[in-house]
Amino acid sequence: MDRSAQSAVNSGAQVRLRKLSKAYGGLAAVDGISFDVPAGAFVSLLGPSGSGKTTTLNLIAGFLTPDSGDILIDERSVADVPPHKRNIGMVFQSYSLFPHMTVADNVGFPLRMRSRLSRHAAQKRIAEMLALVQLSHLAARYPRQLSGGQQQRVAMARALVSAPRLLLMDEPLGALDKKLREQMQVEIRRIHRSVGTTVVYVTHDQSEALTMSDLVVVMHRGRIAQIGTPRALYETPADAFVADFIGDSNLLAANIVESRPEGCRVKMRGGAQIGTLPAPFAAAPGAPAFLLLRPEDMSVQLQACARSDDREQLTGVITELSFHGDVFKLAVAVGEDLLKAKVAREQGGSLEVGRQVVLTWRRAAARLLPQASDAASGIEAATP
Amino acid sequence: MTALAQYAAAPARRSVLARPHVMPALLLLPCLAWIAFFFLVPLGLMCWRSLAASGFSLQDYAALFSSPLYAKVMLTTLKAASLATALALLLAYPVAYVLTMSSGLRRGLILVFVFIPYWVDIIVRSFSWLIMLGDHGLINKALINLGIVPAPLELLYNTFSVLIAMVQILLPLTIVILFGAMLRIDRTLVAAAKIHGASGWQAFRTVFFPLSLPGVYGAGLLVFVLSLGFYVTPALLGSPRQTMIAQTIMVEASDLLDWGQASAAGFVLLVITTTIAAIYNRYFSLDRLWGGSEP
């Protein structure tokens, strides 16, 4: 394994999508998207169902032909290259292992189809891959004799056995339970590090995308909502859709009352005014906007504290309180808004429903987002 | 009452109908009664007659096994049925494959063309082959007029004419059974083969075809058993040399009125058919083909 891992380092392909479009019956599934996947990177396509992420993956695989646009793998257009000649590995949502072949034969399939390895070399390579996914002892079994997690590993081994420069994964962990899923996330990262292949990973699970990816492409209705590192997406979402889809969030409708170069003041529905917030868009006074506050950025106090320049505060009443082990999650009614907050376990002892509390947060932690009609209507679609 | 108490009390209020097995049994009853009265009872009567006609001896069976005629007819029957089954499978497979791979209007159209002959009566279809294959039939006339052959070919009253008609009659059923089996094959498996380096033909050969074999074996068994009982087709299109077992039984029963002999022959045919089906199932059982049932 060490030798192949050595030779595989930096062996990932670079993928470029250029104004790619695909429609089904007049409905655009993928609508003119462009993005680059750097060589060797782990890139997730994240979005709710129907956002076009699986269509995008199938276009890269070559199962679908784009209506327009182009895909470049290592600067070479693959428009006329059939799937079997693209040198791609793929892990399918349902694993799609061949039921009439043993684990070893499943893993060896790409070798039999693709390479001219001798029988002996092929056996050795299969053994290497099975060792990599820790399934050497199950080589002679049939897929249906394996658990979901084991089938998942076989699918990984099969996808990687011929050392493809690009690995596509279509919601590979969707069918596993939570614990196993988290275990496999770590496993997939480990394997990615050791083989160095470029990975394009489709998921609708934002926490999965955040923990695993170098880069996340958030998709919404066939278009790209935002591309960025997990941290950038979480901390500086481009719009309300991305803010709502990634992580827990409070998105509060507000109106801009004052717009100055150093920031804006906004008025919330309950009448409270908050400022000064940097606005990442052209904000005119009177324009509607969303105020984004992450629940974990909120601090809950029993009494109002002295006003300070870098903190904001709102007073409200606790309407819901639930214990999640490491944290308490609570909902606080402030005027017409309901704010979510997260409090560490040891600080939640004196909280109870009906109690008046003061929510405070650092000004820098809040963000103002545009309230475009498109982004706003996307929120319902994104809420699970 | 708390939810827990309700849950605990629920079984006591269940009617007889709610017991497991009662409802399935009730639903099966009409069908079982039908089969019992119109199939099992006549079958029992047949068995009874095959023994009773000769005063409860095995005389009719002895006559059956000592007669060279029966052995020959049975062999002809098995040969014709095997050949017809093999040909039907060979011709039906590509059609079923195209059906599976197409969709919408194309699939609908193919299915209609597959079924039109099925809706025509077997006797009518057999007669239509007389018109096609006769000395003055469509084919011979065309061949002679085109100057390909000087005299009419002997297309009728031989193994060829019997087989061609049998296969034509069996094809719709074979296609539909194969189509049903192929529809159950997960098509992403073919996609998985392709992305991992298999060309279209390789994906078919290594994945689709092996996975379609259980359907082929299943269709083969059904079509074979069906073709063992062909009666009208060999009678109309064959010569005495193509006589099949069903015809012989018919002659025994209705012309010679030897009901004991006819019953014995019928029973032997049933035993042979069942045995073949059992052996076949043992070697081509679905579990083996899907892999992994072995310890």
Side-chain angles (χ1 to χ4, degrees):
Chain A
M1 191 201 111
D2 280 332
R3 192 183 50 82
S4 63
Q6 287 284 309
S7 63
V9 164
N10 295 328
S11 70
Q14 184 198 45
V15 184
R16 289 172 186 272
L17 273 57
R18 288 286 166 268
K19 293 188 180 150
L20 209 57
S21 289
K22 177 74 187 177
Y24 295 111
L27 219 78
V30 169
D31 194 2
I33 62 167
S34 301
F35 64 86
D36 288 357
V37 179
F42 194 117
V43 174
S44 289
L45 303 182
L46 173 67
S49 54
S51 60
K53 53 194 193 309
T54 298
T55 303
T56 306
L57 200 75
N58 283 331
L59 286 166
I60 299 175
F63 296 143
L64 298 173
T65 314
D67 296 336
S68 64
D70 202 359
I71 298 165
L72 307 168
I73 297 181
D74 285 328
E75 305 295 346
R76 208 179 115 235
S77 169
V78 291
D80 299 320
V81 183
H84 70 278
K85 288 191 176 151
R86 291 192 181 189
N87 196 20
I88 293 174
M90 187 157 176
V91 178
F92 293 81
Q93 194 167 7
S94 50
Y95 317 136
S96 296
L97 299 176
F98 306 125
H100 56 304
M101 297 182 199
T102 62
V103 167
D105 285 345
N106 263 285
V107 174
F109 184 86
L111 295 180
R112 291 199 297 281
M113 294 299 131
R114 256 183 200 148
S115 61
R116 296 195 178 86
L117 280 186
S118 69
R119 206 181 165 77
H120 178 72
Q123 299 284 354
K124 206 172 141 239
R125 180 70 184 153
I126 292 167
E128 266 175 26
M129 287 318 296
L130 286 176
L132 180 70
V133 297
Q134 297 161 3
L135 281 179
S136 305
H137 57 296
L138 297 177
R141 296 272 184 96
Y142 283 90
R144 64 161 202 196
Q145 296 171 302
L146 305 182
S147 71
Q150 289 167 336
Q151 290 187 27
Q152 163 66 43
R153 285 157 196 261
V154 177
M156 283 284 289
R158 179 180 66 181
L160 291 168
V161 72
S162 59
R165 291 165 49 74
L166 175 60
L167 174 64
L168 306 179
M169 303 182 88
D170 185 9
E171 308 236 8
L173 306 181
L176 304 180
D177 61 62
K178 186 168 181 284
K179 237 195 174 116
L180 196 54
R181 201 156 64 220
E182 284 169 0
Q183 204 180 316
M184 284 305 299
Q185 288 173 6
V186 176
E187 189 87 330
I188 290 171
R189 284 295 292 175
R190 174 181 72 82
I191 292 168
H192 173 242
R193 272 196 306 275
S194 77
V195 298
T197 305
T198 305
V199 177
V200 178
Y201 189 101
V202 161
T203 181
H204 65 270
D205 181 340
Q206 50 91 16
S207 78
E208 196 168 290
L210 291 189
T211 51
M212 298 179 75
S213 322
D214 299 318
L215 215 55
V216 179
V217 179
V218 184
M219 294 192 66
H220 181 215
R221 294 179 180 175
R223 297 193 180 173
I224 293 173
Q226 193 174 2
I227 302 179
T229 63
R231 259 195 92 167
L233 291 181
Y234 192 85
E235 290 172 356
T236 55
D239 58 27
F241 172 78
V242 177
D244 186 69
F245 197 71
I246 293 180
D248 250 353
S249 59
N250 291 302
L251 277 171
L252 307 171
N255 278 293
I256 290 164
V257 290
E258 206 181 321
S259 181
R260 274 183 300 181
E262 65 267 25
C264 300
R265 277 192 78 75
V266 295
K267 192 170 103 185
M268 300 184 48
R269 273 189 298 188
Q273 287 203 6
I274 293 170
T276 308
L277 298 146
F281 57 100
F290 277 120
L291 178 66
L292 168 66
L293 291 168
R294 295 289 186 190
E296 69 277 10
D297 289 336
M298 316 273 267
S299 136
V300 180
Q301 266 137 29
L302 298 178
Q303 269 118 37
C305 49
R307 290 203 68 84
S308 82
D309 275 348
D310 65 337
R311 288 194 86 82
E312 286 290 344
Q313 61 183 38
L314 285 172
T315 306
V317 175
I318 298 177
T319 57
E320 270 174 62
L321 182 69
S322 55
F323 180 57
H324 290 257
D326 51 346
V327 291
F328 284 97
K329 288 187 182 173
L330 54 157
V332 180
V334 179
E336 289 172 44
D337 292 312
L338 204 60
L339 275 74
K340 287 177 271 184
K342 242 185 239 177
V343 178
R345 176 167 45 90
E346 63 268 24
Q347 283 152 24
S350 53
L351 300 177
E352 60 192 354
V353 172
R355 179 150 197 169
Q356 183 169 318
V357 288
V358 178
L359 294 170
T360 80
W361 65 91
R362 279 190 316 113
R363 263 185 196 154
R367 274 185 72 77
L368 214 52
L369 300 173
Q371 197 178 35
S373 57
D374 187 52
S377 56
I379 287 173
E380 281 106 20
T383 309
Chain B
M1 206 195 274
T2 66
L4 195 68
Q6 262 175 14
Y7 181 76
R13 286 203 308 270
R14 280 162 133 200
S15 68
V16 180
L17 281 177
R19 277 186 208 150
H21 307 310
V22 169
M23 208 57 199
L26 271 179
L27 290 171
L28 282 173
L29 204 62
C31 180
L32 280 177
W34 182 275
I35 290 175
F37 192 75
F38 290 103
F39 183 68
L40 292 179
V41 170
L43 210 61
L45 282 175
M46 188 182 84
C47 184
W48 168 268
R49 181 155 280 152
S50 72
L51 298 168
S54 55
F56 291 103
S57 70
L58 289 172
Q59 209 182 313
D60 275 315
Y61 286 92
L64 207 64
F65 286 111
S66 58
S67 150
L69 173 75
Y70 269 104
K72 192 182 168 299
V73 168
M74 197 62 220
L75 210 67
T76 310
T77 307
L78 288 175
K79 227 159 63 185
S82 316
L83 267 170
T85 305
L87 276 172
L89 285 174
L90 219 61
L91 292 173
Y93 195 96
V95 180
Y97 182 76
V98 170
L99 266 174
T100 312
M101 292 302 152
S102 54
S103 58
L105 189 67
R106 198 164 80 154
R107 180 183 279 181
L109 271 175
I110 300 175
L111 272 175
V112 167
F113 281 112
V114 166
F115 270 112
I116 284 175
Y118 195 67
W119 294 326
V120 179
D121 185 74
I122 291 187
I123 297 175
V124 175
R125 273 192 279 172
S126 299
F127 265 115
S128 67
W129 281 108
L130 284 176
I131 299 166
M132 290 286 289
L133 301 172
D135 280 358
H136 303 288
L138 211 61
I139 293 174
N140 268 323
K141 263 192 180 159
L143 288 175
I144 289 168
N145 287 344
L146 289 169
I148 296 171
V149 291
L153 297 173
E154 276 187 42
L155 298 175
L156 258 185
Y157 311 121
N158 53 24
T159 311
F160 169 77
S161 56
V162 173
L163 269 183
I164 206 171
M166 279 177 79
V167 168
Q168 193 243 348
I169 289 162
L170 293 169
L171 263 179
L173 184 75
T174 320
I175 291 171
V176 168
I177 298 173
L178 285 178
F179 175 46
M182 287 180 187
L183 275 183
R184 284 195 297 271
I185 297 175
D186 181 2
R187 297 269 284 283
T188 58
L189 292 175
V190 177
K194 283 185 178 165
I195 199 74
H196 291 120
S199 64
W201 165 246
Q202 282 174 316
F204 173 79
R205 192 173 54 79
T206 57
V207 175
F208 190 90
F209 182 68
L211 291 178
S212 72
L213 282 179
V216 172
Y217 296 142
L221 181 61
L222 260 164
V223 170
F224 179 76
V225 168
L226 210 68
S227 49
L228 280 181
F230 264 60
Y231 168 72
V232 174
T233 311
L236 282 176
L237 298 171
S239 72
R241 267 183 299 160
Q242 278 80 45
T243 304
M244 286 174 71
I245 190 78
Q247 290 167 268
T248 317
I249 294 171
M250 185 69 182
V251 169
E252 292 281 3
S254 65
D255 293 358
L256 306 175
L257 295 178
D258 188 347
W259 286 27
Q261 187 74 82
S263 298
F267 202 72
V268 169
L269 177 64
L270 180 71
V271 170
I272 290 174
T273 310
T274 315
T275 311
I276 290 173
I279 293 170
Y280 195 94
N281 191 46
R282 169 137 173 71
Y283 285 99
F284 297 113
S285 77
L286 266 80
D287 272 1
R288 272 176 75 103
L289 288 154
W290 282 84
S293 70
E294 254 104 317

